[in-house]
Amino acid sequence: MNLKEWIFTTDHKRVGILYLIGSLAAFAVAGIMALLMRAELSTIGPTITANPTNYNVWLYTHGAVMILGFQIPALTGFFANFCIPLMIGAKDVAFPRVNALSVWLFYVGVILALLTFFIPDPPDIMWTGYPPYSTITTGNTAMYSFTVLILGFASIIGGVNFLTTVAYMRAPGITLNKLNIFVWCTLGAFVLQLIFVPVLGTAVSLISMDKYLGTNFFDPAKGGDVLTYQNLFWFYSHPAVYVIFLPFIGVVFEVLSSHARSAVFNYKMVVYGGIGGIVLLAGEVWVHHLYVSGMADWLRIGQMVTTLMISIPVGLMMISLVGTLYKSSIAFTTPMLYALGVVFLFLIGGLTGIPLAVPSLTLAVSDTYYVVGHFHYVMAVAGTFSIFAGIYHWFPKFSGRMYNEFWGKVGFWLTFIGSNVVFWTMMDIGVDGMPRRYYDYAHFPQFESAHQLMTAGAVVLGLGFAIAVLNWIIGAMKGPPAGDNPWGSPSLEWTTVSPPPHGNWPTPPSVAEDWHPYAYKKG
C-alpha cells in the first residue's frame, strides 16, 4: 500500500489506524516524560536536571499529551472509527472527508505538542494552564492554547460525524436496543464533547488574550478573577473524565462479553441508567476540583451531593460487568486479562475517589500524592489497560493476524504489577503529607525510599508497555492468520473478512429479528 493512499484516505478503518499510530506515538512521548520525572524524584536534590523548569515541561507534556494526545484520540478516534461503522453495518461514516480532516487536525496537534522540545520558550504550565502563572511565565502559553484548540476542533467534528452516522446509517434490523454497549458509550462521550469542548476553548483563548493582548480576565489587580478560569477549565475537564471513561468501559464490555461468551448483564440498565445517568450528571460535578480554591460552602455541599450521586450510574455499570462474568465460560486470553485488570484498577480508583467528594476530607489531602495516585488508578492506568485490551481484542480484525499470546500475558503482568507498585505507593505517601508537583522534596526526606520504589515500579510498567507494543508490531508483520472471527462473537464487525475491505461488506448487511450483538449460544 503506497503512502499517498494513506495520506488521502477517507476509509474509516484507515483513518482509525492513523489515529492509533498517532495516539501510540503520543503515548510513548508521555511515558518518557513520566520516566524522566520519576528518575528526577528518585533522590533528594538534583538527579538528572538542576533546572526546575525542565521538570515543569516534563509535567506539562506528560499530562497534556497523555490525555489530549493519547487516551481521547485512541478511544474516540481509533476505536470509534474502526469499530462503530462495522458494529452498525455501515459502509463508512456519514462524512468521510470530514473524518479525514479530523485525523489530520489531530496530527497537527501532536506535532505542535512535540515542538515543545525544540522551541526556546516551551510551555511550562501543566496541562491545566492555571493563571496567574500561565499569564506571567516566559513559557509559550500561546502554543498551549493553540494546541488545545486544534485538538478540540478535531474532536467536535468527529462527534458530529459519529452521531450522524449512528442515527442514519444503521443496517436494517439494528434498533437502538441492539446497539453494542461500546457504540452507546461512545455516543455519550461525543455528546459531552459537543457540549463542553467550547467551554475549554474559551478558557484557553482567554489566558492567551490576557498574556499577549493585554486583557484582564484573570488579573485580580485589574478586576479579573483567577477562579473564573478554574471554573471554566474544570467545567470541561471533569466531563472529560467521562469522555475517557465511557468509551473505555464500553471496550471492557465488548471484551468481557466476547471472552466470557456471555450476554451483557442487564443491558438496558447499562444504557439508560449507567450511560444516560453519567451524561446527565457529568456537568454538575466540576466544583469538587475547587474545594480548596475559596468556593462558598453552599456550593461545596451541593457539588458534594452531585459527585456522590454520579457514583450510582458508574456503580450500575460495574455491577453489570460483574454480572456478565457470573456463570460464564471465561477464557483468560490477553485481552481478557487487561479487561479484568481494568475492573480491579477502576474499583480501587473509584473507592479511593469517594473521600475526595467530601469537602472535609479533600481539604486534608488536596494537592498531595493521594490525589495523583487516585486519578491514575481511576483514569490513567484503567483507561490505558482498556485501550490495550481493545487493541488486543480487535487486533485480528484490523491486521488479519494474531499476536503472540505468551508475550501478551507477560506484558500484562508487568504493567499490572508496575502500576500497583507506583500508584498505591503514591496514595500511601499522599495520606502522610507528600505534596504533588514538587520538583524536589528536601523537606520530606522520609519519602525518599518510597520515591525510589515508585521509580522502580515505573521502569517495570514501562517495560510491560514496550513488550505490548512490540508484540503488536511483530504480530502485524509475522503473526499467523487469524481468521474472520477468532473469538466466536455474534457482534456484526466479526461477520466480515479480516481485515475488512473498502465498504466493509460485498453487499449491505441486515440482521435477523432475534439477532443481538451479545446473543451467545450456550453449550
Side-chain angles (χ1 to χ4, degrees):
M1 220 49 80
N2 63 52
L3 184 61
K4 182 179 178 181
E5 290 180 344
W6 280 88
I7 292 175
F8 294 101
T9 187
T10 58
D11 184 350
H12 73 95
K13 298 179 293 297
R14 290 188 178 182
V15 170
I17 297 298
L18 289 172
Y19 264 114
L20 177 62
I21 293 169
S23 60
L24 288 177
F27 176 68
V29 171
I32 291 170
M33 297 301 103
L35 290 173
L36 288 173
M37 287 188 290
R38 287 265 40 98
E40 177 57 43
L41 293 169
S42 61
T43 60
I44 294 174
T47 306
I48 59 175
T49 181
N51 186 355
T53 298
N54 290 337
Y55 183 86
N56 280 345
V57 171
W58 301 338
L59 185 59
Y60 155 76
T61 306
H62 172 71
V65 172
M66 187 65 83
I67 294 170
L68 300 175
F70 169 55
Q71 287 197 326
I72 293 178
L75 291 162
T76 63
F78 166 60
F79 288 119
N81 267 286
F82 188 85
C83 296
I84 287 180
L86 290 169
M87 286 177 168
I88 66 172
K91 63 179 181 180
D92 209 310
V93 295
F95 310 112
R97 293 187 179 184
V98 173
N99 201 32
L101 173 63
S102 72
V103 75
W104 291 115
L105 285 174
F106 161 66
Y107 269 90
V108 170
V110 170
I111 291 169
L112 284 173
L114 293 176
L115 287 176
T116 296
F117 304 105
F118 301 99
I119 61 175
D121 54 346
D124 61 346
I125 55 177
M126 247 274 290
W127 78 285
T128 53
Y130 278 2
Y133 183 74
S134 58
T135 59
I136 63 174
T137 177
T138 57
N140 195 329
T141 301
M143 175 169 278
Y144 166 79
S145 299
F146 192 59
T147 302
V148 172
L149 288 170
I150 288 290
L151 293 173
F153 187 65
S155 179
I156 286 174
I157 63 176
V160 172
N161 208 345
F162 281 99
L163 288 169
T164 307
T165 300
V166 176
Y168 292 105
M169 297 183 67
R170 302 192 307 275
I174 300 183
T175 62
L176 293 179
N177 285 329
K178 291 185 177 181
L179 290 177
N180 292 68
I181 294 293
F182 175 74
V183 177
W184 274 114
C185 286
T186 308
L187 291 181
F190 278 128
V191 168
L192 294 176
Q193 287 285 76
L194 291 175
I195 294 171
F196 295 106
V197 164
V199 180
L200 176 65
T202 300
V204 300
S205 297
L206 293 180
I207 58 171
S208 285
M209 291 171 66
D210 269 16
K211 182 171 182 179
Y212 301 107
L213 299 181
T215 58
N216 299 298
F217 294 105
F218 308 122
D219 185 352
K222 298 177 181 179
D225 185 0
V226 292
L227 285 183
T228 300
Y229 177 85
Q230 292 190 31
N231 277 281
L232 289 172
F233 180 85
W234 287 112
F235 191 62
Y236 163 77
S237 294
H238 195 82
V241 168
Y242 300 104
V243 171
I244 297 171
F245 169 74
L246 283 171
F248 93 54
I249 209 69
V251 169
V252 173
F253 271 104
E254 303 301 327
V255 175
L256 285 188
S257 178
S258 292
H259 296 264
R261 300 196 59 77
S262 175
V264 169
F265 174 71
N266 213 336
Y267 172 95
K268 291 183 179 180
M269 175 187 74
V270 174
V271 172
Y272 301 110
I275 301 169
I278 287 172
V279 171
L280 287 174
L281 290 171
E284 287 82 49
V285 296
W286 81 95
V287 169
H288 69 238
H289 293 277
L290 308 177
Y291 282 161
V292 298
S293 299
M295 292 290 102
D297 286 342
W298 66 267
L299 187 55
R300 286 175 176 166
I301 299 303
Q303 296 260 311
M304 176 187 73
V305 173
T306 55
T307 302
L308 292 172
M309 283 176 61
I310 206 167
S311 65
I312 297 172
V314 173
L316 292 177
M317 300 181 83
M318 297 304 291
I319 289 170
S320 180
L321 287 173
V322 175
T324 302
L325 294 172
Y326 181 65
K327 290 188 176 180
S328 62
S329 296
I330 299 175
F332 290 99
T333 58
T334 300
M336 186 63 162
L337 289 176
Y338 275 102
L340 293 172
V342 173
V343 175
F344 177 84
L345 295 167
F346 190 81
L347 183 63
I348 293 179
L351 292 175
T352 56
I354 292 174
L356 295 178
V358 182
S360 58
L361 297 175
T362 297
L363 293 174
V365 296
S366 181
D367 290 325
T368 72
Y369 264 56
Y370 178 86
V371 177
V372 181
H374 152 74
F375 175 80
H376 279 78
Y377 261 113
V378 80
M379 277 288 107
V381 289
T384 301
F385 270 50
S386 174
I387 292 169
F388 278 51
I391 293 173
Y392 271 115
H393 177 65
W394 283 292
F395 185 86
K397 181 54 61 178
F398 68 76
S399 72
R401 297 180 179 273
M402 285 298 291
Y403 57 85
N404 184 290
E405 192 71 50
F406 171 78
W407 286 110
K409 292 178 178 177
V410 169
F412 164 76
W413 285 112
L414 288 175
T415 54
F416 184 77
I417 293 169
S419 296
N420 284 285
V421 168
V422 174
F423 301 115
W424 186 268
T425 307
M426 275 190 182
M427 291 193 296
D428 184 45
I429 64 174
V431 171
D432 288 338
M434 175 66 204
R436 66 192 299 193
R437 300 174 185 165
Y438 271 40
Y439 158 72
D440 192 30
Y441 51 101
H443 292 90
F444 309 96
Q446 68 270 29
F447 298 131
E448 186 173 33
S449 60
H451 278 287
Q452 291 170 347
L453 177 63
M454 287 189 286
T455 301
V459 172
V460 174
L461 180 61
L463 179 60
F465 285 143
I467 288 173
V469 174
L470 285 173
N471 196 10
W472 299 331
I473 294 172
I474 295 171
M477 294 189 301
K478 300 180 180 179
D484 296 339
N485 191 0
W487 312 130
S489 170
S491 187
L492 207 57
E493 76 269 25
W494 298 102
T495 62
T496 185
V497 297
S498 300
H502 187 72
N504 298 333
W505 288 271
T507 58
S510 61
V511 299
E513 187 176 347
D514 62 347
W515 174 87
H516 199 277
Y518 307 115
Y520 286 91
K521 295 179 181 179
K522 300 300 181 182

